[in-house]
Amino acid sequence: MSAHRQVNAARQSTRPKRKPKLGQNFLADAGAARRIVEALGNIRNSVVLEIGPGRGALTKMLAERAAHLVAIELDRELARDLQREFTREDNVSILEDDFLNVTIPELNRHASQPASTRVKVVGNIPYYVTSDILLRLFEQHEHIEEIVIMVQKEVADRIGAEPHSRDYGLLTVTAQLFTNVERLFTLPPGAFSPPPQVHSAVLRLRVVPKAERLGVNATEFLDFCKLAFAQKRKTLFNNLRETYEEEAVRRALREADIEPTARAEELSLDVLAQIFRQLGNPNFSVLSVAPW
């Protein structure tokens, strides 16, 4: 199947094409759109939240299958186009808003399903805001069942990385703390309009919180991980002693059977949690370290 098949053409859309204003690269491969929707599984009893529907490559298929679809679009003209197209669909709510400014319970109230229902999330996320949206989703993981998301391939590599790889870092352990990560497929630039300069990848993140199993407070543990990964060229010991007493760090590493020369990217989520527990979960905040 050609990567250049236009979803809008397949849907016999008459909307004129406009130049993207927010850095969007619209999905234009009908086969890929179908695979993304199918990755959500059976959604006939589900509330689906679509982030950034754009020109609606996924929206029609989602509307045909979901109990209720709530699509949130920042671009005013695109949102209005979709509102006109789906105005007669009782199970579709098209909202013009910034996902980063609203909560999932607020969005869920637009659905015909009970507000307590956990949603399934899907979206082709603009590259410039990927980290912010992922963090926002992880913060609200208790309201989410699973996420099928398309991101830049390099970001997908970081999310699904293994210890000892160059891509393994804070984004990896954050995603793994809240979800089980599954890489589905990769798309070339030609699958989009306009084509980006990078490949994209589709991930399925099933929400499986692990903080309780690991015996950690999620927020405090992520603050610890920000410190552990703060400077990748430094050893874990040198990063941690910026906040903890040196002897406490040495003792925690010995208890975890970790060499003092080890770096954070060599350690699994479980080992990082073990070291954190050994250090006694002190109250601290690393404000100068970016989320990813």
Side-chain angles (χ1 to χ4, degrees):
M1 182 179 291
S2 170
H4 296 279
R5 291 181 60 184
Q6 300 291 319
V7 172
N8 283 352
R11 293 170 51 191
Q12 299 181 345
S13 171
T14 59
R15 291 199 299 269
K17 294 181 180 179
R18 287 188 292 268
K19 184 177 179 180
K21 296 184 295 184
L22 298 172
Q24 304 103 313
N25 298 97
F26 301 109
L27 181 62
D29 184 319
R34 187 174 302 108
R35 291 174 70 186
I36 291 170
V37 172
E38 289 175 350
L40 290 168
N42 185 349
I43 56 175
R44 63 184 178 184
N45 295 317
S46 299
V47 175
V48 176
L49 169 60
E50 183 182 8
I51 302 173
R55 293 175 180 161
L58 305 176
T59 312
K60 183 174 177 59
M61 283 185 278
L62 291 168
E64 291 172 347
R65 303 182 186 201
H68 201 103
L69 171 65
V70 180
I72 181 167
E73 172 59 55
L74 179 60
D75 185 294
R76 174 173 296 181
E77 293 182 351
L78 292 173
R80 289 179 177 176
D81 285 347
L82 291 171
Q83 287 167 348
R84 285 192 291 268
E85 181 172 349
F86 292 96
T87 186
R88 297 184 180 180
E89 303 294 335
D90 293 337
N91 71 322
V92 178
S93 302
I94 307 293
L95 309 178
E96 179 197 335
D97 212 331
D98 185 345
F99 173 71
L100 298 176
N101 293 336
V102 296
T103 67
I104 290 177
E106 288 172 343
L107 295 172
N108 208 356
R109 283 197 285 271
H110 291 272
S112 56
Q113 296 290 306
S116 60
T117 302
R118 291 198 303 162
V119 304
K120 293 191 175 188
V121 178
V122 65
N124 172 21
I125 305 303
Y127 299 147
Y128 73 94
V129 75
T130 297
S131 293
D132 292 334
I133 287 179
L134 284 170
L135 180 60
R136 186 70 167 157
L137 290 170
F138 295 147
E139 287 174 346
Q140 303 182 82
H141 67 275
E142 68 271 18
H143 303 295
I144 302 171
E145 183 179 346
E146 68 179 356
I147 304 163
V148 175
I149 193 170
M150 182 154 47
V151 297
Q152 185 176 338
K153 179 181 177 296
E154 286 74 12
V155 176
D157 290 341
R158 290 162 59 197
I159 293 173
E162 298 289 340
H164 297 280
S165 72
R166 67 176 184 176
D167 294 314
Y168 186 81
L170 183 60
L171 178 57
T172 316
V173 298
T174 303
Q176 292 181 1
L177 182 63
F178 298 110
T179 69
N180 289 341
V181 179
E182 180 183 0
R183 187 161 185 157
L184 299 181
F185 56 92
T186 301
L187 289 172
F192 300 87
S193 177
Q197 296 182 345
V198 297
H199 282 65
S200 301
V202 178
L203 302 175
R204 179 162 51 207
L205 311 177
R206 300 188 188 278
V207 175
V208 183
K210 302 176 183 69
E212 184 176 355
R213 176 181 68 80
L214 294 170
V216 300
N217 173 282
T219 301
E220 294 176 356
F221 177 59
L222 287 178
D223 279 341
F224 165 83
C225 290
K226 290 175 189 178
L227 180 63
F229 287 96
Q231 298 187 56
K232 296 196 72 172
R233 292 186 178 183
K234 282 190 174 183
T235 64
L236 178 62
F237 172 77
N238 284 333
N239 276 332
L240 293 181
R241 70 176 182 173
E242 296 291 329
T243 295
Y244 299 95
E245 293 183 0
E246 288 191 16
E247 185 50 40
V249 176
R250 294 184 193 278
R251 185 170 60 251
L253 294 179
R254 283 198 302 270
E255 290 290 334
D257 197 24
I258 300 300
E259 294 293 331
T261 56
R263 289 178 167 79
E265 59 263 31
E266 301 172 25
L267 308 179
S268 68
L269 185 69
D270 290 73
V271 173
L272 288 167
Q274 181 182 353
I275 295 169
F276 173 66
R277 293 194 306 268
Q278 290 289 338
L279 288 170
N281 300 9
N283 294 319
F284 71 95
S285 178
V286 186
L287 298 178
S288 62
V289 181
W292 310 120

